[in-house]
Amino acid sequence: MNQPSLDPRAPWVISTHDLGRRPGSMREMHLVLPAPADIGVDMIGVPKDADVELDIRLEAVMEGVLVTGTAWSPLRGECARCLEPVISHSEVNFQELFFYSAEDAAEGDPLLDGELLDLEPVFRDAVVLTLPLSPVCSDDCLGLCVDCGIRLADAEPGHTHEAIDPRWAKLQDLVPEHNNDQES
């Protein structure tokens, strides 16, 4: 199966030319790359084109090039409880072996395209796996009132709504108002 050729000008495509195919050769790099689109889950993700900082090490091994690194990226989303904006950051570690040839690789393993490798899928997988499915603005976020929708953190203390079961509402009219002052 042929994979599409990589564009050497694409920001996440890295050249391994300096390594050659000499096992033991290594190169370290610090990069700042624009975040690709659609990295995230429903409630939170990395904003498109945000700066992603990468510290990576490329090592030539017998089967291919081993990439080890750490990526730092901003996160934007909304709180799953109160829908307020959530601004955070992500730090992920990753390691991936890019094989020289398909004969050495298992199905789904990444391959080098000549001397080029694409870090975007590795970064995407590493970040998405660490994202919370239900991010919160704070651990003690109370969420929204189920009756009126007001954010409970902004509501008066003891915010409540009188809830009368509709099946018993008609009986409410049959009972006269009870005055505690008269019984004392």
Side-chain angles (χ1 to χ4, degrees), residues 60-159:
V61 295
M62 293 296 288
E63 301 86 7
V65 176
L66 179 66
V67 179
T68 306
T70 303
W72 297 270
S73 59
L75 296 175
R76 302 275 186 275
E78 57 186 29
C79 178
R81 295 181 189 161
C82 70
L83 304 179
E84 287 292 308
V86 172
I87 298 171
S88 183
H89 70 281
S90 168
E91 178 179 335
V92 294
N93 296 312
F94 54 89
Q95 186 171 52
E96 191 73 54
L97 177 59
F98 289 82
F99 288 88
Y100 291 128
S101 70
E103 291 82 37
D104 295 332
E107 187 176 333
D109 284 340
L111 299 173
L112 285 167
D113 182 4
E115 297 176 333
L116 302 176
L117 59 86
D118 186 4
L119 275 182
E120 181 181 331
V122 175
F123 170 70
R124 180 182 304 277
D125 291 347
V127 170
V128 170
L129 289 174
T130 64
L131 293 176
L133 294 176
S134 298
V136 291
C137 58
S138 66
D139 290 337
D140 60 347
C141 177
L142 300 173
L144 302 175
C145 175
V146 295
D147 293 317
C148 66
I150 189 172
R151 186 171 177 252
L152 291 174
D154 299 335
E156 295 289 323
H159 174 82

Side-chain angles (χ1 to χ4, degrees), residues 18-74:
D18 296 352
L19 295 176
R21 289 194 176 201
R22 297 178 310 272
S25 58
M26 179 186 74
R27 183 175 78 186
E28 291 183 344
M29 303 170 73
H30 177 79
L31 305 167
V32 178
L33 301 175
D38 301 323
I39 293 187
V41 292
D42 289 340
M43 302 289 287
I44 194 163
V46 180
K48 182 182 182 318
D49 294 329
D51 285 347
V52 176
E53 288 190 51
L54 294 159
D55 280 336
I56 59 172
R57 182 175 62 210
L58 307 173
E59 296 176 80
V61 295
M62 293 296 288
E63 301 86 7
V65 176
L66 179 66
V67 179
T68 306
T70 303
W72 297 270
S73 59

